[in-house]
């Protein structure tokens, strides 16, 4: 891959990360997303990790 391609991939990745962050920030964690089993699994796993913190 050329240097130009790598820089294009970097820009695309950075934009994707920014858009993902914006989407997650605007998500209501108590809203309709609670009906998704994958969301509940994620929340349970995060809760277990946080409980293990000192």
């Amino acid at each position: 891959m050329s240097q130009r391609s790598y820089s294009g991939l970097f820009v695309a990745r950075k934009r994707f990360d920014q858009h993902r962050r914006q989407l997650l920030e605007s998500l209501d964690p108590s809203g309709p997303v609670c009906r998704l089993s994958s969301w509940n699994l994620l929340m349970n796993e995060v809760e277990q990790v946080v409980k293990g913190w000192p």
Side-chain angles (χ1 to χ4, degrees), residues 25-51:
E25 286 176 351
S26 67
L27 187 64
D28 177 7
S30 302
V33 73
C34 288
R35 293 184 289 215
L36 298 173
S37 60
S38 58
W39 178 260
N40 290 313
L41 180 62
L42 174 64
M43 292 295 98
N44 290 335
E45 289 179 4
V46 168
E47 186 176 324
Q48 292 303 313
V49 168
V50 171
K51 283 181 181 178

Side-chain angles (χ1 to χ4, degrees), residues 5-24:
S5 296
Y6 282 121
S7 64
L9 288 173
F10 176 77
V11 169
R13 177 62 190 208
K14 186 175 179 181
R15 285 184 57 206
F16 178 83
D17 289 343
Q18 290 170 343
H19 290 153
R20 178 177 47 198
R21 180 184 48 79
Q22 290 172 342
L23 176 64
L24 289 172

